[in-house]
């Protein structure tokens, strides 16, 4: 039996089915990357690409969504986005419809926090079997900044609730690059001295960056290895650090930590803190479940909302505007180049230009004639100098220059033999620089 032929699709039908497949099967995702090709046309929408070292993806963030972003993105900026995977049907490109965007700086710290929390939990640092029971301390060690607001709150509570309790302050920075090392050193010093019954690790509230030293891995191990019970009271109730999970007890504020460790209310406060923690965990789980369901409903609503189709039409309008601007710019550039070529040709055809070209050609010919004359003159000069050198070489004067002379008798005949002169006959002797007159006194024949 012949196989059934698959249905014949148009390009539009194919792109629509692919878009529905992407939106239905993958849907909403979180993605981090670097912004490039950012554009913000007059429509108010944002178009950009997210890339890493190996790939990139196109993104669109429509006006209603990008107005909630607290910053204007820039090319090269690292961001984290929540987006719906889709396909831009007219061009056949898959893209992300971004619904939320945050700077990846804060997101990176949160990711580091979650990774360290999972790592330490796997190592058992948060296990309840390792937690120490809090004693009724007679002497309390407080690890904090001696000049901060936290130590004042702690001392005020202890003065009111347990005035007989002694307090030993182990000073340390609670913010900055050196804070974690100083906190570790303070815990180790308190354990070495063994002069207190419990430790209160505390500081006031602040941003995630301000409290980051309490998320140090080495500090977590120092708290875990402490023989002295440790109460973590860092920041406000909404602030959570790694130190809170490792410590034997977590207090929501510095004052609450002091109340836990003071007087007869210790057990009740511990129970209250435990119940509060369980309540917060239950509320967090319930809130997370509700948020997940709400996001699912919102995602389903967004997919079928008329504004989604309107946004896509607006994107097509922006794309058309971009192409129109590009085409007009190319046409204008082509026309300008054509006008420049015509102007150049017209300029070359003017009488002034022809005269200028003829003058330039005449000057060129004059230069060539001048060079030719110089060449001929130099050749004749060299020829003349060569002939003069040859003539000088065979000249009698050159012989005289070498110390020879020419003798002439009274008849001015050059004397070559002794028979040509007689005794007492006058004669002249020519040398290189003149003539010497002489008389023959003696003749000897060789």
């Amino acid at each position: 039996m012949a196989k059934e032929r698959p249905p014949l699709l148009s390009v539009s039908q194919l792109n629509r089915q692919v878009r529905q497949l992407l939106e239905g099967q993958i849907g909403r995702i979180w993605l981090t990357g670097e912004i490039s090709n950012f554009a913000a046309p007059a429509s108010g929408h944002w178009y950009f690409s997210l890339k890493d070292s190996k790939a990139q993806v196109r993104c669109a963030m429509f006006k209603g969504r990008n107005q909630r972003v607290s910053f204007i993105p820039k090319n090269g900026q690292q961001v984290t986005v929540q987006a719906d995977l889709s396909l831009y049907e007219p061009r056949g490109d898959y893209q992300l419809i971004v619904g939320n965007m945050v700077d990846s700086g804060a997101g990176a710290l949160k990711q580091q926090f979650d990774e360290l929390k999972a790592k330490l939990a796997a190592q058992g640092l948060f296990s309840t079997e390792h937690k120490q029971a809090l004693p009724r301390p007679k002497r309390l060690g407080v690890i904090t900044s001696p000049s901060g607001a936290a130590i004042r709150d702690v001392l005020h509570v202890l003065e009111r609730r347990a005035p007989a309790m002694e307090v030993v302050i182990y000073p340390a920075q609670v913010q900055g690059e050196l804070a974690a090392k100083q906190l570790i050193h303070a815990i180790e010093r308190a354990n070495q001295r063994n002069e207190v019954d419990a430790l209160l690790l505390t500081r006031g509230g602040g941003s995630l960056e301000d409290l980051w030293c309490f998320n140090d891995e080495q500090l977590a191990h120092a708290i875990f290895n402490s023989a002295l019970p440790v109460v973590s009271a860092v920041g406000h109730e909404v602030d959570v650090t790694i130190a809170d999970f490792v410590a034997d007890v977590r207090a929501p504020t510095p004052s609450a930590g002091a109340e836990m460790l003071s007087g007869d209310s210790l057990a009740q406060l511990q129970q209250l803190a435990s119940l509060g923690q369980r309540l917060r965990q239950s509320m967090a789980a319930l809130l997370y479940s509700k948020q997940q369901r709400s996001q699912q409903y919102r995602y389903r609503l967004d997919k079928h909302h008329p504004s989604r189709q309107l946004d896509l039409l607006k994107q097509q309008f922006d794309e058309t505007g971009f192409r129109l601007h590009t085409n007009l710019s190319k046409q204008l550039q082509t026309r300008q180049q054509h006008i420049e070529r015509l102007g150049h040709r017209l300029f070359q055809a003017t009488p002034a230009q022809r005269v200028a070209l003829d003058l330039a050609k005449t000057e060129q010919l004059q230069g060539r004639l001048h060079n030719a004359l110089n060449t001929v003159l130099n050749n004749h000069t060299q020829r003349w100098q060569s002939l003069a050198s040859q003539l000088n070489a065979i000249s009698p004067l050159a012989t005289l220059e070498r110390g020879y002379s020419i003798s002439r008798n009274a008849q001015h005949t050059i004397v070559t033999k002794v028979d040509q002169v007689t005794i007492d006959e006058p004669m002249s002797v020519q040398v290189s620089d003149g003539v010497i007159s002489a008389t023959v006194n003696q003749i000897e024949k060789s």
Side-chain angles (χ1 to χ4, degrees), residues 380-394:
H380 286 322
T381 300
Q382 292 177 358
R383 176 71 174 167
W384 177 82
Q385 289 177 348
S386 175
L387 293 174
S389 297
Q390 295 178 15
L391 180 62
N392 186 59
I394 61 176

Side-chain angles (χ1 to χ4, degrees), residues 216-229:
D216 183 80
E217 182 175 1
Q218 300 302 321
L219 176 61
H221 283 283
I223 296 173
F224 182 79
N225 295 327
S226 175
L228 297 172

